[in-house]
Amino acid sequence: MSQITIRGGRKLEGTVQVQGAKNSVLPILAATILHPGQVVLRGCPRLSDVEASIQILRHLGCTARWEGGELLVDTSTMSRWDIPDNLMREMRSSVIFLGAILARLGWAEMSYPGGCELGPRPIDMHLSALRKLGADLREEGGRLRCTAQHMTGREIALSIPSVGATENAILAACGAEGETVLVNAAREPEIRDLQEFLCAIGCKVRGAGSSTICISGRQKTHDAVHTVMPDRIVGATYLAAVAAAGGVVELKNVNYRHLSTVTAALHEAGCKISGGDGRILLKAEGRLGSAGTVRTAPYPGFPTDAQAILMAALLKSQGTTVFVETIFENRYRHVDELHRMGADISIADRVAIVTGVPRLYGAEVRATDLRGGAALLVAGLAAEGVTRIGDVHHIQRGYEDPVRDLAALGADIVWE
Ligand code: EPZ
């Protein structure tokens, strides 16, 4: 399957069950290393990024296998502490394994994760947090060589609420003697899910979802079962798809509160939205309007991962929407591809001005990154004619099967 082909212009209607959250299960897969036994992950999405994490666990000597819709991980046979370059290149967020490997074995080695499509992805805050716990981290020829024979808990203040640095610090602190207090921690829902998993295996973590997280290290751990939280960005994607194409959608397995800034923007643009009890209902009739100014920010602000997706939904709106991308340096790479479909978007540094046009046209486009690729799906549904999306491997990193899900809503969309 090398491309996705969409014949746009159809209204959509139906129900979609939202998959488990990629950005929750990736740190949880690293966290399985903290317990030398078996865990069962329910609702684990089948994604290429999950597969990459499974490959890392297997390289480290752990076992991981699917049983129906569940992923069974057993790290009792873990025997290595190094992540080879080819596996690191597969997924830059593999750096999340660093804290967990150090906590379990006191040693860790991996290549420096490169930048990605979104721009440089520094890990200075990850390394600073681990050093504060007592880890010795050296960079030699692009490889990180780390030792932490004895980590001691302490207060760690993050300069910005980095999601990854928060997660890495929590996992390392689980292996440190005594109390660690993380200040200015990220508040994303995925960190609450990580805390829930860690407590399920016997770790002592509290405060996730707030800016201050406390960890009491070196607890005795035990087997556990954990259900991965719903993927709020996948949910946002399908809401945006129906907003763009017009119609009605009911999302199941979604937390309304996690999407409040996204639903607020879609409501501002003219969608009718209601929700609760694990469901969200969206109705889009007639031409959307402007969503005003959309400024990305750390949770609970508007998620940077939904910026491209909402932008695509507003390309044919009446009026102008201004996006301000405050998290990543280079998160407008999808704009050139949307221009090919007739979009009117102008960029000035971190600001994108989207002026609605009456029509979009199907075109040959290429996914530039995960959420930029999702934006092309949304735009293709609203365009007249055929849109062919290449480099779909970017999309497969975070979406189990968008063709299956969108076809269930009546879209004319196929893998080719
Ligand atoms: C996580 O990335 C997510 N990835 C991203 O989702 C998401 O966009 C991002 O959080 C923000 O919500 C996963 O969870 C696997 P950050 P992460 O550390 O942890 C800078 C997707 O589409 N920074 O919060 O890398 C960094 O450069 C992906 O699913 C440092 O300067 O994000 C960025 O500008 C894309 N030094 C900002 O902080 C550091 O040590 C926020 O990054 C770490 C980060």
Side-chain angles (χ1 to χ4, degrees):
M1 295 183 287
S2 62
Q3 74 174 21
I4 292 174
T5 300
I6 300 171
R7 284 169 185 76
R10 283 191 179 182
K11 291 214 177 307
L12 303 180
E13 182 168 356
T15 300
V16 176
Q17 178 84 6
V18 175
Q19 69 187 54
K22 167 180 87 81
N23 291 350
S24 172
V25 76
L26 295 183
I28 286 174
L29 284 168
T32 60
I33 287 174
L34 296 175
H35 169 52
Q38 179 169 305
V39 296
V40 178
L41 298 179
R42 290 186 174 143
C44 185
R46 287 180 179 254
L47 306 166
S48 55
D49 271 7
V50 169
E51 198 47 44
S53 297
I54 289 171
Q55 293 312 315
I56 289 172
L57 286 169
R58 287 176 178 156
H59 169 82
L60 296 173
C62 310
T63 62
R65 62 187 169 81
W66 293 98
E67 207 165 79
E70 302 181 342
L71 182 65
L72 278 58
V73 177
D74 187 330
T75 75
S76 50
T77 51
M78 181 174 180
S79 57
R80 303 181 65 132
W81 59 71
D82 68 306
I83 300 182
D85 197 45
N86 63 311
L87 292 180
M88 280 302 289
R89 287 179 185 281
E90 189 79 17
M91 184 179 68
R92 67 160 308 280
S93 53
S94 307
V95 68
I96 195 65
F97 278 87
L98 184 55
I101 298 172
L102 279 177
R104 170 80 179 265
L105 297 179
W107 305 85
E109 187 186 314
M110 56 181 64
S111 49
Y112 232 86
C116 75
E117 312 84 9
L118 308 180
R121 297 288 288 278
I123 59 168
D124 54 306
M125 290 191 285
H126 296 240
L127 304 185
S128 163
L130 300 182
R131 285 193 173 102
K132 285 183 178 139
L133 292 170
D136 175 54
L137 310 171
R138 298 213 175 103
E139 193 205 330
E140 291 154 14
R143 294 281 293 170
L144 266 175
R145 295 185 200 288
C146 316
T147 55
Q149 292 313 300
H150 185 72
M151 291 195 281
T152 309
R154 52 165 288 177
E155 179 169 297
I156 298 172
L158 297 178
S159 51
I160 60 171
S162 153
V163 172
T166 297
E167 292 164 343
N168 235 333
I170 290 171
L171 297 182
C174 286
E177 202 65 52
E179 284 286 311
T180 296
V181 179
L182 268 187
V183 177
N184 195 28
R187 294 184 280 170
E188 271 66 8
E190 290 75 20
I191 295 173
R192 289 175 68 109
D193 207 31
L194 175 63
Q195 172 178 285
E196 196 179 307
F197 170 77
L198 290 168
C199 292
I201 62 169
C203 295
K204 275 194 177 164
V205 185
R206 56 202 178 284
S210 79
S211 297
T212 304
I213 300 174
C214 302
I215 303 103
S216 307
R218 304 190 75 75
Q219 301 296 317
K220 180 140 182 46
T221 58
H222 48 73
D223 292 3
V225 178
H226 177 76
T227 300
V228 178
M229 67 173 266
D231 193 310
R232 58 195 170 103
I233 306 302
V234 169
T237 304
Y238 295 142
L239 293 178
V242 176
V248 181
V249 64
E250 181 192 30
L251 294 189
K252 287 184 174 172
N253 189 38
V254 63
N255 183 319
Y256 190 79
R257 201 163 29 82
H258 292 168
L259 278 166
S260 50
T261 51
V262 175
T263 52
L266 288 168
H267 180 261
E268 177 70 21
C271 296
K272 292 184 180 59
I273 302 173
S274 57
D277 190 25
R279 295 161 185 249
I280 294 182
L281 190 68
L282 176 140
K283 210 175 272 183
E285 292 160 337
R287 196 173 178 192
L288 296 180
S290 161
T293 296
V294 179
R295 189 183 184 81
T296 65
Y299 194 89
F302 187 92
T304 173
D305 294 347
Q307 173 254 105
I309 292 157
L310 178 67
M311 182 185 287
L314 296 172
L315 296 177
K316 288 190 352 184
S317 65
Q318 184 105 30
T320 296
T321 297
V322 176
F323 288 86
V324 184
E325 173 54 59
T326 70
I327 306 292
F328 289 108
E329 274 179 20
N330 186 19
R331 203 160 198 178
Y332 288 132
R333 295 179 71 237
H334 51 282
V335 167
D336 283 347
E337 297 303 305
L338 295 174
H339 282 152
R340 295 166 66 90
M341 300 175 72
D344 179 351
I345 308 169
S346 54
I347 306 287
D349 192 23
R350 295 210 175 202
V351 175
I353 298 172
V354 179
T355 305
V357 293
R359 302 168 67 184
L360 289 174
Y361 307 95
E364 304 272 337
V365 291
R366 292 187 166 283
T368 52
D369 54 81
L370 168 55
R371 307 304 175 183
L376 297 177
L377 290 171
V378 172
L381 293 166
E384 293 167 20
V386 178
T387 297
R388 289 191 174 80
I389 304 172
D391 291 344
V392 292
H393 62 276
H394 288 292
I395 299 174
Q396 291 170 305
R397 286 188 46 220
Y399 293 81
E400 265 187 341
D401 191 342
V403 170
R404 171 200 65 198
D405 294 342
L406 292 168
L409 297 177
D412 181 346
I413 180 171
V414 292
W415 290 108
E416 282 187 331

